[in-house]
């Protein structure tokens, strides 16, 4: 671990539990690598709302998570595991941004409203993790081009400010690439509403 953690939680036991959960979800080949522990400790601390540990890591528990890293480093599977950690209020739905773009092609602008309303879903969850931000395309609906995730993220910022509703994101994009794709306004709001947790650029593809 990067720094010694003084916590009421046993992080080693939690990682063993997460690895077992990963085997259940992904098969016997699933493994949590020790090199990823610094990332995983931060995520565990955040989702358990372990405030002293979050403070050590500089993580704000009232914000969401932006988990960035190269392709195949394990961002999606890790966030999928984290869905099982928090209490009900902190639970979230993992939604690939490419699926949202396909929904937009079929249904149009009401898709933006769907992910921007802040309404609780059938299972009582209102938080989203938008997976693989940057893999969706700017799309046209009846001839009008729309940066759909850019619009959704601006609306999610308003939900964060006004209703304390949390958004999480996984992405392969750097901060500069996010700005190029979505604009400075989106990048600025993401900085205000998310904690950045990033894998090293040299992290190997685990797939």
């Amino acid at each position: 671990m990067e720094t010694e953690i003084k916590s009421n939680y046993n992080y080693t036991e939690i990682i063993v539990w997460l690895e077992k959960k990963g085997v259940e979800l992904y098969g016997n080949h699933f493994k949590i690598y020790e090199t990823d522990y610094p990332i995983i400790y931060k995520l565990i601390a955040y989702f358990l709302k372990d405030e002293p540990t979050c403070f050590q890591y500089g993580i704000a528990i009232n914000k969401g998570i932006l988990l960035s890293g190269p392709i195949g480093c394990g961002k999606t599977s890790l966030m999928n595991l984290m869905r099982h950690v928090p209490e009900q209020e902190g639970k979230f739905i993992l939604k690939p941004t490419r699926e949202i773009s396909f929904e937009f092609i079929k249904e149009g602008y009401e898709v933006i409203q769907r992910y921007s309303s802040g309404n609780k879903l059938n299972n009582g969850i209102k938080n989203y993790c938008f997976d693989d931000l940057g893999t969706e395309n700017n799309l046209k609906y009846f001839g009008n081009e729309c940066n759909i995730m850019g619009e959704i993220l601006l609306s999610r910022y308003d939900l964060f400010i006004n209703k304390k509703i949390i958004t999480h994101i996984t992405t392969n994009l750097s901060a500069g690439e996010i700005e190029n794709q979505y604009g400075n306004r989106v990048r600025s709001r993401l900085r205000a509403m998310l904690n950045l947790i990033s894998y090293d650029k040299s992290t190997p593809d685990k797939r």
Side-chain angles (χ1 to χ4, degrees), residues 3 21 67-68 81 110 126 179 183 187 190 196 205:
T3 56
K21 197 74 184 172
L67 184 61
S68 71
L81 283 178
E110 67 182 64
K126 57 188 176 182
E179 183 168 341
R187 180 184 175 184
L190 292 185
L196 174 61
D205 192 327

Side-chain angles (χ1 to χ4, degrees), residues 16-93:
V16 170
W17 178 81
L18 285 171
E19 190 164 62
K20 287 179 180 176
K21 197 74 184 172
V23 169
E24 283 178 29
L25 293 172
Y26 298 109
N28 290 329
H29 65 281
F30 181 84
K31 177 179 174 55
I32 291 178
Y33 293 87
E34 199 167 334
T35 51
D36 292 342
Y37 281 13
I39 297 280
I40 296 169
Y41 283 129
K42 291 175 184 178
L43 291 173
I44 292 171
Y46 171 83
F47 283 109
L48 286 176
K49 294 193 180 298
D50 181 356
E51 292 192 43
T53 305
C54 284
F55 179 77
Q56 287 185 61
Y57 281 132
I59 294 171
I61 61 174
N62 64 318
K63 295 183 178 184
I65 295 292
L66 172 59
L67 184 61
S68 71
I71 293 170
C73 67
K75 300 181 297 296
T76 300
S77 56
L78 197 49
M79 286 302 284
N80 202 22
L81 283 178
M82 291 299 152
R83 291 170 56 228
H84 302 278
V85 174
E87 299 292 335
Q88 182 65 24
E89 190 63 23
K91 289 191 179 300
F92 59 90
I93 291 170

Side-chain angles (χ1 to χ4, degrees), residues 116-129:
S116 306
S117 68
N119 293 335
K120 289 187 178 182
L121 305 176
N122 292 336
N123 50 9
I125 297 173
K126 57 188 176 182
N127 302 324
Y128 275 101
C129 175

Side-chain angles (χ1 to χ4, degrees), residues 75-76 79-80 83 92-104 106-107 111 114-116 121 125-136 148-149 152-153 156 167-171:
K75 300 181 297 296
T76 300
M79 286 302 284
N80 202 22
R83 291 170 56 228
F92 59 90
I93 291 170
L94 192 74
K95 186 71 179 180
T97 59
R98 288 181 74 249
E99 285 186 15
I100 295 175
S101 68
F102 297 149
E103 290 172 16
F104 179 75
K106 291 196 296 184
E107 302 172 49
V111 171
R114 179 178 305 152
Y115 297 104
S116 306
L121 305 176
I125 297 173
K126 57 188 176 182
N127 302 324
Y128 275 101
C129 175
F130 296 119
D131 187 38
D132 251 352
L133 182 71
T135 57
E136 80 291 342
I148 182 169
M149 286 309 303
I152 289 172
L153 291 173
R156 298 291 299 186
T167 301
H168 308 299
I169 292 171
T170 74
T171 187

